[in-house]
Amino acid sequence: MLNFLIFLNCKQEKLQLSKIEGKQIQITDSILLDPEIEAYVKPFRDNIQKDLDSVLAYSVDTYSKNDGHLNSALGNFMADVLYSEANPIFKSRTGKEIDMVLLNHGGIRSSLNQGNVSKRTAFQLMPFENSVVIVAIKGAQIDSLIDYLKSSKRAHPISNLKLVVDKNFDVVEAKIKGKNIEQNYTYYVATSDYLYNGGDRMRFFKPNDTVYYLNYKIRNTLIDRFNKVDTINPVIDDRFIQIK
């Protein structure tokens, strides 16, 4: 038996990969569907499409993330939705409340169009699988968060944070839930797991006191909100503004 195994090993050592060849196969309408596969998939596809297109609410106007300078109606809506939907879950699990919300401008992937709003709308706005996390950070890190916002000069969605800057983008006012920011106070900031891990160069979430994973996709916060309201009519406000 030993001799036989040695013989096999010797034979295997002579096998060597000399070349790999491949070719690109274009997936086009010219490729015929397999009728059996299509018949099997069709009921599932039709059910998914019906579910995605079921009307949940109505949007009064068309809203874009680029409509405002430092805050937009759409960004405000998405940040406020995350707060309203995630805060009760966070409070029921921890006894604490979310202090503020921060998302990113680039994470909004479409406009919210005037007319019927459906689950598909939520997938268009937030196609990524990003989930809600709550990060416990001190006021000193909130200062870094504010520095990031005023230096980026973009309408990153925020909620419960009031930020006013002057013509030079120096901070005139910064408050969370109407109160001045305290350096040693622990704030619970809701964001996405992508941003928590440094996405969009948001590196101020680490180190932190604690991070809480809600197992709740940001897209689902939108769907849950759509199910609760008849009409969507967000506005640009004064949560992040520049005074001349």
Side-chain angles (χ1 to χ4, degrees), residues 189-219:
V189 182
T191 188
S192 72
D193 53 350
Y194 167 72
L195 298 179
Y196 168 68
N197 287 309
D200 259 9
R201 301 183 303 281
M202 293 191 186
R203 302 187 180 95
F204 38 77
F205 289 119
K206 297 177 181 180
N208 53 70
D209 290 356
T210 320
V211 59
Y212 303 85
Y213 296 89
L214 297 192
N215 193 27
Y216 192 15
K217 295 192 184 304
I218 293 175
R219 179 196 309 123

Side-chain angles (χ1 to χ4, degrees), residues 102-114:
L102 172 63
L103 295 173
N104 63 319
H105 181 270
I108 305 174
R109 306 304 287 186
S110 75
S111 298
L112 176 60
N113 295 323
Q114 182 181 27

Side-chain angles (χ1 to χ4, degrees), residues 100-157:
M100 62 160 288
V101 175
L102 172 63
L103 295 173
N104 63 319
H105 181 270
I108 305 174
R109 306 304 287 186
S110 75
S111 298
L112 176 60
N113 295 323
Q114 182 181 27
N116 291 335
V117 174
S118 64
K119 283 186 180 180
R120 188 183 298 277
T121 307
F123 276 85
Q124 291 168 342
L125 288 168
M126 181 59 64
F128 311 113
E129 297 299 306
N130 296 141
S131 295
V132 180
V133 298
I134 317 297
V135 191
I137 57 177
K138 298 295 187 184
Q141 286 166 275
I142 296 291
D143 289 345
S144 297
L145 183 157
I146 289 170
D147 286 341
Y148 175 91
L149 289 174
K150 69 187 186 71
S151 63
S152 66
K153 303 177 183 178
R154 302 195 77 182
H156 292 296

Side-chain angles (χ1 to χ4, degrees), residues 45-63:
R45 183 195 302 118
D46 291 346
N47 187 57
I48 290 172
Q49 297 300 329
K50 182 179 179 181
D51 183 53
L52 286 174
D53 290 329
S54 58
V55 177
L56 305 178
Y58 181 83
S59 177
V60 172
D61 205 344
T62 294
Y63 304 97

